[in-house]
Amino acid sequence: PEPTPTPTGQGTAEAVVNAALGEVGYYAPDDPEPGSKYGRWYASVSGEDWCAGPSWEIWWCEMFVSWALDAGGVYMEGSPTQNTNLAYNNGGWKYEVDKYDVQYGDIVQFDWDWDAEGYTDHVGIATGSFDGYGFTTVEGNVGNAVVTMYRDMGNVAHVLRPDYA
């Protein structure tokens, strides 16, 4: 079954970022239940039970972003999903903005290896704007944890700005 999306425009960038930042320090291997809480959440809304884990076998960064959007009451076409490429190709592209215009609340997709297929490898939520070199984020599945990061622009593939209220 397909997840039931939250109506467009109900949530704010602040609600999404606050939900995500509230998870900083979560470390999936310390979770008393198998997998990550975001993988289990996604498995429950999508019926894709394999996404529940184990956390070291499932890349759960996009599930974390999908969870944060949902927790913030924001619907974005292409989400929820378990895969950054599906998020983009299933409608996320409609929200794309210039990467140098990255702002608080934007969904940022990264490509570490710039492979010929154009597959993205990771995703986070911007917690700051472009400062001339990079920007700050909150991300899931960095070392199997939720962390804040500072990212330069070199690996930014897409910046998506949901229709926030």
Side-chain angles (χ1 to χ4, degrees), residues 69-84:
L69 287 166
D70 186 71
V74 173
Y75 169 72
M76 187 174 95
E77 199 168 331
S79 183
T81 187
Q82 83 286 1
N83 180 288
T84 56

Side-chain angles (χ1 to χ4, degrees), residues 58-112:
I58 305 296
W59 296 347
W60 50 269
C61 56
E62 180 64 45
M63 292 181 272
F64 169 73
V65 169
S66 292
W67 176 91
L69 287 166
D70 186 71
V74 173
Y75 169 72
M76 187 174 95
E77 199 168 331
S79 183
T81 187
Q82 83 286 1
N83 180 288
T84 56
N85 295 305
L86 291 176
Y88 185 80
N89 293 330
N90 290 344
W93 60 269
K94 296 175 184 177
Y95 305 92
E96 191 161 16
V97 298
D98 183 278
K99 75 179 195 175
Y100 293 101
D101 187 37
V102 66
Q103 296 176 14
Y104 179 90
D106 287 349
I107 309 305
V108 183
Q109 295 184 330
F110 302 96
D111 193 337
W112 305 138

Side-chain angles (χ1 to χ4, degrees), residues 41-58:
W41 168 82
Y42 181 71
S44 75
V45 300
S46 69
E48 295 183 50
D49 294 338
W50 65 271
C51 291
S55 65
W56 60 87
E57 291 181 7
I58 305 296

